[in-house]
Amino acid sequence: MLIAMHRLPDDVRDLLRQHDGILLTADARRTGVPRSRLSRLVTAGRLARLIHGAYASADTFADLDDWQRFAMRARAFGLLSAPDGYLTGWACTAIRGFPTLGAPPSLPTVVRPKAAKRWPFSGIGGRVLIADVPEEHRRRGRLPIVSDEWAVVDVARTARLPDALVVADVAVRSGLNLAGVLPHLQRWQGIARARWVVEHAAATVESPLETLGRFAFFEHDLPLPVTNAWVGRDRPEWRLDGLLPWHWWGYEADGALKYDNRADASKIVRAQQEREFRLRRLGLDLLRYGWPDAHPNRGPLENHMRAMFSDHPARAE
């Protein structure tokens, strides 16, 4: 993490660097920095108070986006939670760098065992879920956190389905076994939602925008595509983000990053045009869509998909 702390006193700046950007009151006290001094730095605008007892550089915190701020607050909450508490859900996936859509939750969550003893800081700056997590899904270090697969399934219990599927697609693409978590959560609220997400997560989907496009087929009860399918006349020549093989059309998710601020944007567009020409020569029609078509809702994308199905009835081959 790049930390901009030129306005901070040297000793406090060094402490933040030693503790990966988050300074706890207890760590400061052990090196002779009292809480009152930290409070004065907050008042002066040099430190940002993340939650009670945890601080970050005000400059660094100001440069973060909403999800990065949520992840930093989640880390602070995890560091101050009980020794048997583990960050879970969005707190865990945000820290691990999974893709996120929309606004972050208001508070992070830790999970503690049912037999947990009372902890004085429980619930300050976050939520505490009482449940048992198997040992193989606990990651103990300076920051206690559940396994990635547990966190992804936990997100799927309560998150919007498209948001949860975006995370799950990345998880299965990286080789995580989400299905192995489900038996441990049979009695948890939202398990049916989590089971649906796990069942429909696809390792062949390569971006959040592709996930949202595929979700539109589920959402509107349309025939399902083959994701990242190879097509060609006599051999695999081109790969489409999605293919409707019986309807002879496919789709491509065009994110702005493909073109924005690139010196070779014109070459990319030219290659794309040539590719599309050859695909149409095969008899395939092509639908392109971007973020405005698929997020936050997929109404525009649904209209385009239904038009494609109307123009291309199912064939026998």
Side-chain angles (χ1 to χ4, degrees), residues 251-317:
Y251 62 86
E252 296 271 71
D254 286 340
L257 290 178
K258 185 184 291 186
Y259 313 104
D260 286 356
N261 301 318
R262 292 190 56 155
D264 59 347
S266 61
K267 292 182 180 179
I268 294 175
V269 172
R270 175 63 184 141
Q272 181 175 280
Q273 291 171 338
E274 177 66 18
R275 182 170 177 268
E276 189 166 330
F277 170 77
R278 296 189 177 278
L279 287 171
R280 294 188 189 280
R281 292 281 293 169
L282 290 176
L284 286 172
D285 203 355
L286 193 64
L287 169 65
R288 294 190 178 278
Y289 70 92
W291 280 102
D293 306 303
H295 183 75
N297 65 75
R298 284 150 296 285
L301 184 55
E302 178 199 2
N303 293 336
H304 293 160
M305 287 176 170
R306 290 194 183 278
M308 293 293 281
F309 279 117
S310 176
D311 292 345
H312 302 284
R315 302 188 186 189
E317 58 178 342

Side-chain angles (χ1 to χ4, degrees), residues 24 30 66 76 88 120 124 150 173 198 212 230 243 245 258 304:
L24 303 184
R30 279 193 289 269
D66 289 345
T88 186
I124 299 178
W150 187 282
R173 184 168 178 78
V198 171
L212 293 176
W230 286 92
L243 174 69
K258 185 184 291 186
H304 293 160

Side-chain angles (χ1 to χ4, degrees), residues 1 3 12-24 26-28 30-31 55 75 79 142:
M1 177 184 295
I3 304 174
V12 176
R13 179 192 61 214
D14 291 342
L15 284 172
L16 280 167
R17 284 177 174 160
Q18 293 169 21
H19 294 92
D20 197 24
I22 296 178
L23 178 58
L24 303 184
D27 293 330
R30 279 193 289 269
T31 59
Y55 304 84
R75 287 172 53 214
L79 291 170
R142 183 170 186 258

Side-chain angles (χ1 to χ4, degrees), residues 109-270:
T109 301
V110 297
V111 57
R112 298 188 64 202
K114 295 178 181 178
K117 297 180 180 179
R118 187 178 181 278
W119 183 253
F121 293 105
S122 293
I124 299 178
R127 297 187 176 94
V128 178
L129 175 65
I130 302 300
D132 292 323
V133 177
E135 185 175 356
E136 64 267 26
H137 289 291
R138 298 181 228 149
R139 303 291 181 263
R140 169 58 64 179
R142 183 170 186 258
L143 182 66
I145 200 167
V146 299
S147 68
D148 286 358
E149 52 266 47
W150 187 282
V152 170
V153 176
D154 200 4
V155 163
R157 292 189 307 113
T158 57
R160 296 173 64 251
L161 285 176
D163 299 358
L165 193 61
V166 164
V167 176
D169 281 350
V170 172
V172 297
R173 184 168 178 78
S174 67
L176 296 182
N177 176 21
L178 302 183
V181 177
L182 291 175
H184 300 292
L185 303 177
Q186 289 299 324
R187 298 183 182 277
W188 287 42
Q189 183 179 3
I191 184 60
R193 295 171 60 85
R195 191 178 292 112
W196 186 94
V197 171
V198 171
E199 179 182 348
H200 293 94
T204 52
V205 177
E206 297 182 334
S207 74
L209 188 55
E210 288 182 36
T211 297
L212 293 176
R214 187 170 68 99
F215 182 77
F217 291 90
F218 293 114
E219 187 176 29
H220 301 293
D221 196 26
L222 299 172
L224 297 180
V226 179
T227 54
N228 276 292
W230 286 92
V231 298
R233 189 171 300 281
D234 301 309
R235 58 183 173 81
E237 296 178 87
W238 300 280
R239 191 175 64 169
L240 296 175
D241 292 342
L243 174 69
L244 284 302
W246 299 104
H247 296 266
W248 285 57
W249 68 271
Y251 62 86
E252 296 271 71
D254 286 340
L257 290 178
K258 185 184 291 186
Y259 313 104
D260 286 356
N261 301 318
R262 292 190 56 155
D264 59 347
S266 61
K267 292 182 180 179
I268 294 175
V269 172
R270 175 63 184 141

Side-chain angles (χ1 to χ4, degrees), residues 59-135:
D59 287 348
T60 298
F61 193 69
D63 288 339
L64 302 179
D65 63 31
D66 289 345
W67 274 100
Q68 291 170 330
R69 291 183 181 188
F70 170 75
M72 182 170 268
R73 286 195 175 103
R75 287 172 53 214
F77 182 57
L79 291 170
L80 289 170
S81 293
D84 56 4
Y86 294 81
L87 284 169
T88 186
W90 281 120
C92 182
T93 55
I95 290 170
R96 296 291 198 189
F98 283 85
T100 52
L101 298 176
S106 58
L107 294 172
T109 301
V110 297
V111 57
R112 298 188 64 202
K114 295 178 181 178
K117 297 180 180 179
R118 187 178 181 278
W119 183 253
F121 293 105
S122 293
I124 299 178
R127 297 187 176 94
V128 178
L129 175 65
I130 302 300
D132 292 323
V133 177
E135 185 175 356

